[in-house]
């Protein structure tokens, strides 16, 4: 029973999406308390330093999320999900010493890459028929063999 925290907007927290996902995976979910949730909210939405206002995340926003991460660390929580898509922007700036940070966007990108890797080159994957001089691409469109796959 792994203890997993998540930092997310108040709206995402209220929906229970992260709590339910963690529980269905067999973990115990923890969200920030009211003080840390306010810090997270400001880190995302503040018009002068929030992630949505300053695309790379201002130092003040990074410090606020780091404070929330420290809150989880003090409670013995070793894994924290960055449950707001905007937090991916600041992931490399966060102090995650002693924590495993899970970035859902990176996880999704990795999953998609793994799923499409066998099809990354449509001709090698056999998705399009080949002729000796040309490959058929799409409906009725023929292009020269640029990949050298028509070699004898």
């Amino acid at each position: 029973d792994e203890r997993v925290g998540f930092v997310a907007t108040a709206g995402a927290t209220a929906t229970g999406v992260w709590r339910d996902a963690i529980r269905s995976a067999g973990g115990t979910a923890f969200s920030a308390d009211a003080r840390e949730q306010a810090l997270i909210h400001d880190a995302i939405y503040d018009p002068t330093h929030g992630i949505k206002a300053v695309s790379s995340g201002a130092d003040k926003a990074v410090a606020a999320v780091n404070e929330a991460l420290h809150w989880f660390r003090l409670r013995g929580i070793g894994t924290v999900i960055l449950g707001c898509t905007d937090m991916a922007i600041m992931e490399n700036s966060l102090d995650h010493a002693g924590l495993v940070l899970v970035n859902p966007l990176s996880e999704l990108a990795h999953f998609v890459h793994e799923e499409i890797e066998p099809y990354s080159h449509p001709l090698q994957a056999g998705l399009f028929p080949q002729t000796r001089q040309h490959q058929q691409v799409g409906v009725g469109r023929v292009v020269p063999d640029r990949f050298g796959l028509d070699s004898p």
Side-chain angles (χ1 to χ4, degrees):
D1 186 32
E2 186 173 359
R3 298 163 51 93
V4 179
F6 60 93
V7 289
T9 63
T13 300
T15 68
V17 65
W18 292 113
R19 182 186 59 248
D20 295 346
I22 293 165
R23 287 179 182 166
S24 71
T28 302
F30 292 87
S31 59
D33 68 8
R35 181 181 179 282
E36 274 64 34
Q37 188 61 50
L39 290 171
I40 294 165
H41 179 85
D42 284 349
I44 297 167
Y45 293 112
D46 186 276
T48 61
H49 66 265
I51 300 164
K52 290 188 180 291
V54 184
S55 63
S56 62
D59 290 343
K60 189 172 179 181
V62 170
V65 176
N66 278 336
E67 191 170 332
L69 294 176
H70 183 67
W71 183 90
F72 287 109
R73 218 180 271 113
L74 290 175
R75 283 148 186 81
I77 298 164
T79 302
V80 178
I81 297 171
L82 298 177
C84 172
T85 54
D86 294 299
M87 286 191 183
I89 295 168
M90 68 168 55
E91 178 183 12
N92 293 332
S93 300
L94 296 174
D95 175 15
H96 55 86
L99 293 172
V100 174
L101 287 185
V102 178
N103 179 341
L105 289 179
S106 295
E107 295 297 320
L108 177 60
H110 179 73
F111 173 78
V112 169
H113 175 76
E114 292 296 314
E115 289 297 311
I116 67 169
E117 178 64 25
Y119 307 104
S120 62
H121 189 290
L123 298 173
Q124 290 175 340
L127 298 178
F128 301 115
Q130 299 178 49
T131 66
R132 183 119 175 89
Q133 299 298 318
H134 298 83
Q135 304 109 19
Q136 184 75 28
V137 178
V139 178
R141 189 168 151 216
V142 178
V143 296
D145 178 16
R146 298 176 305 201
F147 305 106
L149 297 174
D150 285 341
S151 303

